[in-house]
Structure formats: C-alpha cells, structure tokens
Amino acid sequence: MNKENRQKRVLITGGAGFLGSHLCDRYIKEGYEVICMDNLSTGNADNIAHLFGNENFEFINHDVTNFIHVGGELDLILHFASPASPIDYLEMPIQTLKVGSLGTHKALGLAKEKNARFLLASTSEVYGDPLTHPQSEDYWGNVNPIGDRGVYDEAKRFAEAMAMAYHRYHGVETRIVRIFNTYGSRMRIHDGRALPTFMRQALNGNPLTVYGDGSQTRSFMYVDDLVEGVWRLSQSNFIEPVNIGNPDEITILDFAKEIIELTGSESEITFEELPKDDPQVRQPDINRAKEELDWEPRYDRKEGIKKTLEYFEEKVNKMNINKPI
Ligand code: NAD
Ligand code: UDP
C-alpha cells in the first residue's frame, strides 16, 4: 500500500511520561497508529492505561539509548524520552546525557531507515541562564557546560546539533520544538518541578518552598497548548527550532501566591536555597510560532491551573500525603 493510502504510524519515545502521554492521545485522535516507547524511568503506565486495548495503540518497554527496533513503516517519530524535571536529571545525570545523545542518535537512525519525519523535544534550557530577554530562537544561550544542570542542557543542545546534522547530511526531515515550562494533568506530584510541588504543598496546607528570594521568573504553559504546537510543527515544513511557550511571565514568588489563592489554601511561604545555575529569567519570544505555525497559547495561566487542580486534588487525596514537608 502506498504511503498516502495507509494509516499513518507515529513512534512516540517517552510516551508514558507527562507530555508524551498527552501526545499519544492527540495522535490517536488524529487517526494515527501510535507506538509508545518508554522505559518507565520517570514515566508511568497509569498515564497510558486508558489506551491499552485500543487497536491503534501499542506500548513497547525499551530504553532508547539501545538500538531501537520497530517493525513496519513509520511516518513520524516524536522524540520525547528524557528526564525533564531538575530533580530527576540531577539524580540521573548520566542517563540524561545518554538519552539526549545516544537515544537521539538511535531515534534519528531509525528515522533515516524508515524515511520518517523526526521531531525533537528540545527545551528553553538550551538558552541556559539567558542574557537576552525574552528569548528568541536565534539566541545561542548561556549554559554552564560543567554545572549541575549542564547534563540536561548540553544533552539537549547536542540533540539539536545531531538532528540538524542528520537533516543536512542524510536529508532526514527534522523538526525541533523548544518547549518552555509546561504543566497539566499526569505530572508526578513528587517530580520536584514548581507547579506540582506548590500544588501538593498548598493542598496539604504545608508551606510552599520558594527557592532563593523568588524573584526569578518563568512563563508557564498549559499542556493542551503545547500539544497543539507540537501537532502543528509536526505537520509543517519548518526546519529551524521553534519556541513553544506562553509568554505570560511571572516571578516564582507570585506564582506561589497565585497557587495558594487558586487552591483556597492557608499555606504560608518559606524560602530555601536557590539551586545552582537556576535561570534568573525565562520568557519565550513566540513570533516564529505565530508566523510559521499560526500558533499561540489559548489558555491563560489561571484558567490552566484551575483545569489542573482537580487532577492534583485526586492525586493528593489518593496518596494521602499528609506528612509535613
Ligand atoms: P517526563 O519525565 O514525564 O517524561 C519523560 C519520559 O521519558 C518518561 O516517561 C520516561 O520514563 C521516559 N524516558 C526517559 N529516559 C528514557 C529512555 N532512556 N528510554 C525510554 N524512555 C525514557 O517529562 P515530560 O515533562 O513529559 O518531558 C518530556 C520531554 O519534553 C522531555 O524530552 C523534556 O526534556 C521535554 N521538555 C519538557 C518540558 C516541560 O515543561 N514539561 C519543558 C521542556 C522540554
Ligand atoms: N522552584 C521553587 N520551589 C520548588 C520548586 C521549584 O522555588 O519547590 C523554583 C525553581 O528554583 C525555579 C522555578 O521554580 O526557579 C521553576 O522550577 P521548575 O523545576 O519547575 O522548572 P525549571 O527550573 O526547569 O524552569
């Protein structure tokens, strides 16, 4: 059967994680057959449990730093496998470097073999602790290669370089999305990132742990906006990296206060040491995504947080986390 007539097939590495599982849902909805590949190191089968039994879904438990075999044809590879939360990649520094380098190499090799399009999940961390603000795609970044966070930042920078080399040298159709802080259902409540941590603390009535004086900024995006951006990029012809993020910037201290307000909590705020190399500011310039993909975020932060609240309430209740932090 020729490519046009058969059902499209996508491989989603890291598909049992937070973002990957939402992407599995979206591509199934778009009529794709989805192969989800994950070693469950920071992901969870619960995130994809609702898809087991779906004839368009298959799960393969595999570490993508090893040779990847997928039978049959493939049209698209979404390469999302990688620890993403700072506490995860600080606990797994070598795994993080390996999945960004060896894992990306294997996934690109598969794309070349199958003549499939390849989309890399890159990150705003490639800009490091940025010296320009907001960050547009032509900024080269300010990364400490030997710092604690370097294992993640440099792995992603290597992955981008590898993707572009496969594009230029082998003609693989590559896409690169630079994702800015994203939140939503299926995040682990103990993954250490700001939103799940603050939600868990607020819902338990425990103090919210703001690092440093909380003056550092981030720009948080609701997961449905990210999924739409990835979908559009995967269908576009645009090769250069594209920022996908919500430009609505907020200090971490104000973010903590907002979560206290939206959860109706009486929690206080405590201040803890700022992790090393923690970026002072972060805000996406999304002009490229607007022009090339006709994309911009649809959910404002409060709306997105409210949509996420029910999930965290359920998680906190279920796990009965009542211990003080
Ligand atoms: P996550 O930890 O929930 O998901 C990552 C998934 O990759 C997990 O299911 C994990 O088990 C899997 N994985 C890790 N190493 C693997 C390996 N060697 N082989 C197979 N599977 C492996 O994190 P997430 O937030 O869903 O992030 C997904 C991707 O998006 C990552 O590549 C991350 O760098 C990128 N990203 C996320 C954000 C964000 O705000 N969530 C921001 C920027 C970039
Ligand atoms: N942060 C915080 N308290 C926490 C967790 C995170 O103050 O309990 C801060 C963290 O230092 C950073 C910001 O919140 O400045 C966002 O952290 P996150 O881990 O969510 O993402 P990243 O640092 O990768 O942007």
Side-chain angles (χ1 to χ4, degrees), residues 84-87 89 123-125 149 152 181 187 191-198 201 208-212 214 216-218 220 252-253 255-256 270 272-275 278-280 282:
S85 156
I87 62 165
Y89 61 74
T123 167
S124 52
E125 283 278 333
R149 291 175 89 102
Y152 181 68
N181 298 64
M187 293 182 101
D191 90 356
R193 288 184 265 198
L195 181 122
T197 308
F198 291 165
Q201 292 166 334
L208 274 65
T209 50
V210 167
Y211 299 157
Q216 69 274 31
T217 68
R218 292 294 186 274
F220 293 94
I252 292 302
L253 181 56
F255 187 54
T270 55
E272 294 191 356
E273 197 183 338
L274 188 68
D278 197 291
Q280 271 307 299
R282 180 177 293 157

Side-chain angles (χ1 to χ4, degrees), residues 105-168:
H105 183 219
K106 299 284 180 289
L108 277 162
L110 183 68
K112 175 167 138 270
E113 168 69 23
K114 301 279 185 186
N115 199 15
R117 187 172 284 185
F118 175 89
L119 185 147
L120 172 69
S122 186
T123 167
S124 52
E125 283 278 333
V126 299
Y127 303 123
D129 192 1
L131 304 177
T132 68
H133 196 63
Q135 294 78 53
S136 62
E137 292 86 348
D138 50 18
Y139 178 51
W140 292 355
N142 176 41
V143 172
N144 175 2
I146 57 162
D148 292 349
R149 291 175 89 102
V151 297
Y152 181 68
D153 303 8
E154 295 296 5
K156 291 289 185 181
R157 289 164 66 96
F158 176 93
E160 286 197 9
M162 187 64 116
M164 290 309 294
Y166 263 69
H167 172 65
R168 293 192 184 109

